[in-house]
Amino acid sequence: MAAIGPQVCLAVRQIKKSFGDQTVLRDISFSLPEGEILGLIGPNGAGKTTLFNIISGWQRPTFGSVVFFGQETTTWPPERLSRAGLARTFQVPQIFPEMTALENVLMGAWLKGEPHHSLKQAHKEADYYLSLVGLTDKRHSRARDLPLPQQRLVEFARALATGPRLLLLDEIAAGFSQRALQRLSTGLLKLRDQGLTLLLTDHLFSLLEAVADRLLALDRGEIIAQGPPSSLIHHPEVVSAYLGTRYGSEADGDA
């Protein structure tokens, strides 16, 4: 009997996205098996955040479809996707600034909406995820008083507290120290080994090289290469996209 492979967590098919006359994504197609870490790379303006927004329901594609565990979710709003098991973080952390770190993560635990989910259990889960991201000693600090990298970790912990099956991380490691980066890498691999599927984008290639099973390279809204990190380091089109004359010259918010 043939071995049964992993279930497809996410299928993106022929995604196109235009804003007026500007096309920012062109015919994007890929599959993400359950339990894999897929890294998304590309220079500023490549279309990475737009793709994240489409997958997570914040924007709708001009053409194409998104399928999450066998069900088409192209038109689903973010809250419905969250209930189905998809969570994400943002380049600019979307937190509750006046709440403490613990209260922010508690919001995620409550979003799961599990029957008979007690406040005591939610507190226990929130403490666990704060510990997982190394913020136990900041649990009673107001979120707005934390440095930006720690705000990112609060948002990360809150996303984990929702109990996702797929987690999208958008520039999670920006501003991290080397020690924090190492802890993050270890934590992401642990989460993958526990069955969580991850899609992440980050300008820190060292993070993606350490944790990603595969990389997908975008440039100007198109997939230019994909494969294991070791094969993309020297890929001519990827090197050109990052080191060519246009790298960093196209300033838009879609990093």
Side-chain angles (χ1 to χ4, degrees), residues 143-163:
R144 73 173 189 182
D145 296 331
L146 297 173
L148 186 57
Q150 292 185 353
Q151 291 183 15
R152 296 184 191 281
L153 290 175
V154 169
E155 186 182 42
F156 179 32
R158 186 181 65 200
L160 289 173
T162 66

Side-chain angles (χ1 to χ4, degrees), residues 212-215 226-233:
D213 298 295
R214 287 188 300 134
L215 294 179
Q226 55 184 306
S230 59
S231 72
L232 265 66
I233 293 176

Side-chain angles (χ1 to χ4, degrees), residues 164-183:
R165 303 177 73 186
L166 170 63
L167 178 58
L168 279 59
L169 300 176
D170 195 350
E171 299 288 345
I172 183 68
F176 276 30
S177 66
Q178 192 59 42
R179 181 181 178 184
L181 188 60
Q182 180 59 52
R183 183 169 56 231

Side-chain angles (χ1 to χ4, degrees), residues 120-247:
K120 181 179 180 180
Q121 179 63 26
H123 267 276
K124 183 178 179 180
E125 292 178 8
D127 277 327
Y128 169 77
Y129 289 114
L130 282 173
S131 174
L132 188 68
V133 302
L135 289 182
T136 297
D137 61 337
K138 303 293 184 181
R139 62 196 302 273
H140 296 306
S141 298
R142 277 192 303 185
R144 73 173 189 182
D145 296 331
L146 297 173
L148 186 57
Q150 292 185 353
Q151 291 183 15
R152 296 184 191 281
L153 290 175
V154 169
E155 186 182 42
F156 179 32
R158 186 181 65 200
L160 289 173
T162 66
R165 303 177 73 186
L166 170 63
L167 178 58
L168 279 59
L169 300 176
D170 195 350
E171 299 288 345
I172 183 68
F176 276 30
S177 66
Q178 192 59 42
R179 181 181 178 184
L181 188 60
Q182 180 59 52
R183 183 169 56 231
L184 175 64
S185 299
T186 301
L188 292 177
L189 291 172
K190 181 179 179 181
L191 290 167
R192 181 200 61 186
D193 292 344
Q194 292 173 348
L196 181 61
T197 307
L198 294 116
L199 175 61
L200 66 153
T201 182
D202 210 286
H203 284 298
L204 287 175
F205 194 86
S206 59
L207 171 66
L208 297 174
E209 188 176 19
V211 304
D213 298 295
R214 287 188 300 134
L215 294 179
L216 193 71
L218 292 183
D219 187 30
R220 297 183 177 184
E222 297 180 293
I223 297 175
I224 59 172
Q226 55 184 306
S230 59
S231 72
L232 265 66
I233 293 176
H234 304 294
H235 192 286
E237 287 188 81
V238 175
V239 172
S240 175
Y242 271 101
L243 303 179
T245 56
R246 70 178 178 275
Y247 178 68

Side-chain angles (χ1 to χ4, degrees), residues 44-64:
N44 290 338
K48 302 186 299 296
T49 293
T50 299
L51 182 57
F52 267 41
N53 287 342
I54 289 171
I55 293 170
S56 58
W58 292 90
Q59 293 176 346
R60 292 187 179 181
T62 305
F63 182 83

